[in-house]
Amino acid sequence: MSAPSPEILKSKQHFHILDGMRGVAALAVVLFHFMEVVYTDYSLNFIGHGFLAVDFFFCLSGFVIGYAYDNRIGKMGVWEFFKSRLIRLHPLVIMGSVLALLGFLFDPIVAVADAYSAGKIALIFLCSVLMIPYPVVTERYFNLFNLNAPAWSLFWEYVANILYALLLYRLNRKWLILPALLAAAGIFYVAIHSGNLMGGWSGGTFWDGGIRIAYSFLAGLLIYRYDLIIKNRLGFLGLAVLLFLAFVMPFGSWNWLTEPLVLLVYFPLLVSLGAGATLTPGLTKICIFSGNISYPLYMTHYTFIWIFANYNTKYKPSLSQLEYIIPISMVLLLGFAWLVMVVFDMPLRKYLTAKRKQA
């Protein structure tokens, strides 16, 4: 079998408004993680639904994967598809794991690592790098990935990508409707059973993550395959506001209904609108930067959230102090994510892509 041509391997043009919306969702996740440390009662947290940004990522991923690969994965082959996804995703999985290991070993507030042997820490790190769930750290609420907690969603992203390459891309679009409906029923079951859709990140809620990505990924894929793109003039700013509203909606006793409705209807609608919106030229660079920084930010920020959580517990800063600490921290995290992106992620992906094409 001959190698696929460089033209087949070449990426398609991006939907820049969707890139920008991905950045908004990433910022919402980071802010949510800060605020959930401060307010363990989510009803007091103004962005108590920031965790739903992950479901928006899943829906966006289904649409983008379908758009980027449906008409060329048959020519490029499953293995080349896997190489493409590994080059895109795994460098930051490794970087996030290394940063999180350093934070685990040298946390300036609490010596968490002292309770674990060197062999156990090495195993935890290896599982993090290889994306193998290993929820064993009690002090970190038995996260699937004890070092870099947000990696749970990347685990399910890998699962969805594998299923796409082995099965989903071969299926006619009508055959995706039934599993999507079953996944939608699963979303309601989880929401009613748990009271919300926050699960998926821990050993005890492992399968919740599978149900969350099953619906959202399939919904995104169906939007692409049925060409459910809605032309509109909302632009990036209008859609960014609409997306952010989902994260700041009230957190309360109606979560079992409001959260599934956001996942099942609202997020797919926003993806359809984002793909069909017209981008103002002046905002193009902002959207591109926002999309580029979203994944590095998502995969590097949680090391600092663990340290912030320990700081908050030990020193109990006042709300007036936190009004400065959290915004400044977010700016610094953005700067750090940018540094990781330009020094590590982009050069490494460029190098790996070049070597792949040469091969």
PDB file of all heavy atoms in Angstrom, residues 18-30:
ATOM      1  N   LEU A  18     -15.896  29.181  15.124  1.00  0.00           N
ATOM      2  CA  LEU A  18     -15.905  28.023  16.024  1.00  0.00           C
ATOM      3  C   LEU A  18     -14.605  27.940  16.818  1.00  0.00           C
ATOM      4  O   LEU A  18     -14.614  27.559  17.997  1.00  0.00           O
ATOM      5  CB  LEU A  18     -16.126  26.737  15.228  1.00  0.00           C
ATOM      6  CG  LEU A  18     -17.507  26.562  14.586  1.00  0.00           C
ATOM      7  CD1 LEU A  18     -17.566  25.247  13.809  1.00  0.00           C
ATOM      8  CD2 LEU A  18     -18.616  26.612  15.627  1.00  0.00           C
ATOM      9  N   ASP A  19     -13.495  28.293  16.189  1.00  0.00           N
ATOM     10  CA  ASP A  19     -12.220  28.353  16.917  1.00  0.00           C
ATOM     11  C   ASP A  19     -12.315  29.350  18.068  1.00  0.00           C
ATOM     12  O   ASP A  19     -11.873  29.079  19.190  1.00  0.00           O
ATOM     13  CB  ASP A  19     -11.083  28.771  15.976  1.00  0.00           C
ATOM     14  CG  ASP A  19     -10.724  27.683  14.975  1.00  0.00           C
ATOM     15  OD1 ASP A  19     -11.027  26.514  15.254  1.00  0.00           O
ATOM     16  OD2 ASP A  19     -10.147  28.018  13.926  1.00  0.00           O
ATOM     17  N   GLY A  20     -12.876  30.517  17.765  1.00  0.00           N
ATOM     18  CA  GLY A  20     -13.033  31.538  18.799  1.00  0.00           C
ATOM     19  C   GLY A  20     -13.927  31.078  19.928  1.00  0.00           C
ATOM     20  O   GLY A  20     -13.652  31.336  21.110  1.00  0.00           O
ATOM     21  N   MET A  21     -15.001  30.390  19.590  1.00  0.00           N
ATOM     22  CA  MET A  21     -15.919  29.883  20.613  1.00  0.00           C
ATOM     23  C   MET A  21     -15.245  28.819  21.473  1.00  0.00           C
ATOM     24  O   MET A  21     -15.518  28.723  22.676  1.00  0.00           O
ATOM     25  CB  MET A  21     -17.172  29.328  19.942  1.00  0.00           C
ATOM     26  CG  MET A  21     -18.017  30.405  19.254  1.00  0.00           C
ATOM     27  SD  MET A  21     -19.350  29.728  18.245  1.00  0.00           S
ATOM     28  CE  MET A  21     -20.488  29.152  19.519  1.00  0.00           C
ATOM     29  N   ARG A  22     -14.356  28.038  20.875  1.00  0.00           N
ATOM     30  CA  ARG A  22     -13.601  27.057  21.661  1.00  0.00           C
ATOM     31  C   ARG A  22     -12.751  27.765  22.712  1.00  0.00           C
ATOM     32  O   ARG A  22     -12.636  27.304  23.850  1.00  0.00           O
ATOM     33  CB  ARG A  22     -12.712  26.219  20.748  1.00  0.00           C
ATOM     34  CG  ARG A  22     -11.975  25.102  21.489  1.00  0.00           C
ATOM     35  CD  ARG A  22     -10.963  24.395  20.623  1.00  0.00           C
ATOM     36  NE  ARG A  22     -11.589  23.649  19.537  1.00  0.00           N
ATOM     37  CZ  ARG A  22     -11.507  23.962  18.255  1.00  0.00           C
ATOM     38  NH1 ARG A  22     -10.804  25.040  17.885  1.00  0.00           N
ATOM     39  NH2 ARG A  22     -12.080  23.232  17.342  1.00  0.00           N
ATOM     40  N   GLY A  23     -12.165  28.893  22.340  1.00  0.00           N
ATOM     41  CA  GLY A  23     -11.379  29.657  23.300  1.00  0.00           C
ATOM     42  C   GLY A  23     -12.226  30.206  24.429  1.00  0.00           C
ATOM     43  O   GLY A  23     -11.805  30.209  25.597  1.00  0.00           O
ATOM     44  N   VAL A  24     -13.428  30.678  24.116  1.00  0.00           N
ATOM     45  CA  VAL A  24     -14.348  31.163  25.156  1.00  0.00           C
ATOM     46  C   VAL A  24     -14.681  30.042  26.126  1.00  0.00           C
ATOM     47  O   VAL A  24     -14.691  30.229  27.353  1.00  0.00           O
ATOM     48  CB  VAL A  24     -15.637  31.727  24.515  1.00  0.00           C
ATOM     49  CG1 VAL A  24     -16.685  32.044  25.576  1.00  0.00           C
ATOM     50  CG2 VAL A  24     -15.337  32.980  23.701  1.00  0.00           C
ATOM     51  N   ALA A  25     -14.945  28.854  25.593  1.00  0.00           N
ATOM     52  CA  ALA A  25     -15.262  27.708  26.440  1.00  0.00           C
ATOM     53  C   ALA A  25     -14.073  27.331  27.329  1.00  0.00           C
ATOM     54  O   ALA A  25     -14.249  26.979  28.501  1.00  0.00           O
ATOM     55  CB  ALA A  25     -15.678  26.514  25.578  1.00  0.00           C
ATOM     56  N   ALA A  26     -12.854  27.399  26.782  1.00  0.00           N
ATOM     57  CA  ALA A  26     -11.666  27.075  27.580  1.00  0.00           C
ATOM     58  C   ALA A  26     -11.492  28.062  28.732  1.00  0.00           C
ATOM     59  O   ALA A  26     -11.178  27.661  29.861  1.00  0.00           O
ATOM     60  CB  ALA A  26     -10.424  27.075  26.686  1.00  0.00           C
ATOM     61  N   LEU A  27     -11.703  29.337  28.463  1.00  0.00           N
ATOM     62  CA  LEU A  27     -11.623  30.339  29.533  1.00  0.00           C
ATOM     63  C   LEU A  27     -12.685  30.090  30.596  1.00  0.00           C
ATOM     64  O   LEU A  27     -12.426  30.247  31.795  1.00  0.00           O
ATOM     65  CB  LEU A  27     -11.792  31.741  28.949  1.00  0.00           C
ATOM     66  CG  LEU A  27     -10.584  32.321  28.214  1.00  0.00           C
ATOM     67  CD1 LEU A  27     -10.965  33.624  27.511  1.00  0.00           C
ATOM     68  CD2 LEU A  27      -9.427  32.577  29.186  1.00  0.00           C
ATOM     69  N   ALA A  28     -13.877  29.688  30.157  1.00  0.00           N
ATOM     70  CA  ALA A  28     -14.952  29.398  31.102  1.00  0.00           C
ATOM     71  C   ALA A  28     -14.587  28.233  32.011  1.00  0.00           C
ATOM     72  O   ALA A  28     -14.864  28.258  33.217  1.00  0.00           O
ATOM     73  CB  ALA A  28     -16.249  29.106  30.347  1.00  0.00           C
ATOM     74  N   VAL A  29     -13.948  27.207  31.459  1.00  0.00           N
ATOM     75  CA  VAL A  29     -13.526  26.059  32.264  1.00  0.00           C
ATOM     76  C   VAL A  29     -12.518  26.483  33.324  1.00  0.00           C
ATOM     77  O   VAL A  29     -12.619  26.107  34.499  1.00  0.00           O
ATOM     78  CB  VAL A  29     -12.922  24.956  31.370  1.00  0.00           C
ATOM     79  CG1 VAL A  29     -12.207  23.910  32.217  1.00  0.00           C
ATOM     80  CG2 VAL A  29     -13.997  24.288  30.548  1.00  0.00           C
ATOM     81  N   VAL A  30     -11.538  27.275  32.925  1.00  0.00           N
ATOM     82  CA  VAL A  30     -10.509  27.721  33.868  1.00  0.00           C
ATOM     83  C   VAL A  30     -11.137  28.545  34.988  1.00  0.00           C
ATOM     84  O   VAL A  30     -10.847  28.330  36.175  1.00  0.00           O
ATOM     85  CB  VAL A  30      -9.419  28.541  33.145  1.00  0.00           C
ATOM     86  CG1 VAL A  30      -8.407  29.078  34.150  1.00  0.00           C
ATOM     87  CG2 VAL A  30      -8.704  27.675  32.107  1.00  0.00           C
TER      88      VAL A  30
END
